[in-house]
Amino acid sequence: MNKQKKMESVQQHIAAICCPYCRRSLQVKNGSLICTDGHTFDLARQGYVNMLNRPGNQQYDKRLFMARQEIITASGLYDVLHQKIAKVVKEYFAAGRSSLFMLDAGCGEGSHLQRIIERSQQPVITGVGLDLSKEGIKLAAQSYKEPLWFVGDLAKSPFTDGVFDAILNILSPANYKEFQRLLAPDGIVIKVVPRQNYLKELREALFMETEKKVYRKQSPAHRFKEHFELVDVMDVSHVTSLNQAHLSQLALMSPLSWTAERERIVRFSERETAGITIDLEILVGRLKG
Ligand SMILES: [Zn+2]
């Protein structure tokens, strides 16, 4: 999809987008989005809109996002997760909805969102991805042409009130106040959090017994329930065998690797094959009545 076509697609959804700084409405003009107060945001050649006027998160580089994309689309590690989320969406909106507007808040390079859209034949989902990382969004826009991709800050997101039927937040920090603002009255929030055994083989390989990273202090469901009425909770727990290429990509994509000893990462990456545990919880919520 060329820039012109993408611009038309943005134009089509212009009522859903607003200026992140003053919340005023936006207009498409000369290849940019301009608010009535004059704040301007450029549509990049790759087909995403940059809604930040400062450098975003630079911690994640392109190599990391490419590894993440390969793991999500080719290793099978997250297939069950995608199926379950697609099923939740289908069942929740079973009553006569033919199309949905869905945000992935903290979408990275976009593969989770894309996969879930592909799994959901009905209703048809229009996807919107938001992430602080320009490298992530750039790769998302290059890889997946249909969704709308935005570099932006979840604390000041560039969308109008109540515009999303569904909000995804997968293994990424939440901003529940903002989710409440963005969710349609009959919409759902789907949050995915790690459970105790998530990627335990990677943690065991990368850290000594005493320094193993513990994933949670307080139950994420507890905070979720303060903001939303909990509709459903599901577990996704299984072990999937990964080959050597995928094992090294898994080590590369994980923030765990940033603090681990190099030697341990290499040893993990050189295994020919290993079973990797997925242990996640899906929290489904709606606005409190
Ligand atoms: Zn503005």
Side-chain angles (χ1 to χ4, degrees):
M1 194 183 288
N2 58 27
K3 186 173 162 173
Q4 180 57 36
K5 264 198 148 165
K6 200 71 189 188
M7 206 40 116
E8 285 164 18
S9 176
V10 168
Q11 175 71 59
Q12 208 188 329
H13 295 98
I14 198 75
I17 311 165
C18 68
C19 176
Y21 301 109
C22 65
R23 292 269 167 85
R24 290 186 169 90
S25 61
L26 294 161
Q27 261 192 318
V28 180
K29 228 182 224 172
N30 304 327
S32 298
L33 290 179
I34 303 173
C35 85
T36 48
D37 207 28
H39 297 120
T40 303
F41 310 95
D42 290 329
L43 184 83
R45 177 171 53 82
Q46 292 90 348
Y48 64 88
V49 187
N50 191 344
M51 305 298 274
L52 284 182
N53 63 358
R54 57 178 172 83
N57 188 340
Q58 309 282 338
Q59 198 170 21
Y60 299 86
D61 68 11
K62 190 177 176 187
R63 243 166 29 115
L64 181 149
F65 283 116
M66 292 184 77
R68 185 182 190 266
Q69 185 163 88
E70 182 69 13
I71 288 291
I72 295 174
T73 61
S75 76
L77 211 51
Y78 296 97
D79 287 0
V80 178
L81 176 70
H82 299 152
Q83 276 164 19
K84 282 207 177 177
I85 292 178
K87 193 160 173 269
V88 166
V89 171
K90 190 184 168 75
E91 286 173 1
Y92 190 82
F93 292 102
R97 291 291 287 269
S98 60
S99 67
L100 289 182
F101 204 45
M102 179 192 270
L103 171 70
D104 186 356
C107 64
E109 46 58 66
S111 295
H112 284 309
L113 176 61
Q114 177 69 22
R115 279 286 155 134
I116 290 162
I117 291 171
E118 285 169 8
R119 299 249 179 229
S120 307
Q121 303 286 316
Q122 193 65 33
V124 175
I125 296 174
T126 300
V128 177
L130 177 75
D131 204 281
L132 255 186
S133 168
K134 193 168 150 185
E135 283 299 337
I137 290 295
K138 200 191 281 183
L139 184 57
Q142 284 167 340
S143 309
Y144 309 119
K145 305 301 180 192
E146 295 301 331
L148 302 176
W149 302 108
F150 296 91
V151 180
D153 188 348
L154 184 53
K156 274 187 169 208
S157 76
F159 308 111
T160 45
D161 295 0
V163 80
F164 292 107
D165 302 304
I167 297 176
L168 298 174
N169 182 228
I170 301 177
L171 298 168
S172 176
N175 184 320
Y176 290 133
K177 285 261 180 281
E178 193 65 355
F179 292 175
Q180 285 172 332
R181 182 180 77 78
L182 297 175
L183 200 62
D186 63 343
I188 49 169
V189 175
I190 300 170
K191 179 163 179 66
V192 178
V193 293
R195 285 168 26 114
Q196 201 178 359
N197 291 322
Y198 180 59
L199 304 183
K200 73 178 162 93
E201 298 81 4
L202 182 63
R203 276 178 291 140
E204 283 164 6
L206 261 42
F207 298 98
M208 309 288 283
E209 197 64 39
T210 50
E211 55 177 15
K212 262 183 208 157
K213 301 285 178 191
V214 181
Y215 263 110
R216 62 169 60 164
K217 294 182 188 100
Q218 195 197 17
S219 158
H222 183 78
R223 271 206 63 221
F224 189 84
K225 279 193 284 192
E226 286 174 6
H227 296 86
F228 298 99
E229 180 191 333
L230 195 62
V231 177
D232 207 349
V233 182
M234 275 161 288
D235 293 344
V236 180
S237 295
H238 57 84
V239 177
T240 299
S241 177
L242 296 196
N243 63 26
Q244 192 190 2
H246 287 151
L247 288 173
S248 61
Q249 281 156 344
L250 184 68
L252 185 62
M253 74 175 240
S254 172
L256 290 170
S257 304
W258 300 343
T259 51
E261 283 174 34
R262 168 133 190 89
E263 197 183 311
R264 282 173 170 267
I265 298 172
V266 170
R267 223 180 300 145
F268 178 82
S269 304
E270 283 177 347
R271 292 189 198 173
E272 267 184 31
T273 177
I276 299 293
T277 302
I278 287 293
D279 189 21
L280 300 168
E281 192 163 77
I282 306 173
L283 306 169
V284 183
R286 63 184 168 206
L287 291 171
K288 291 184 179 181

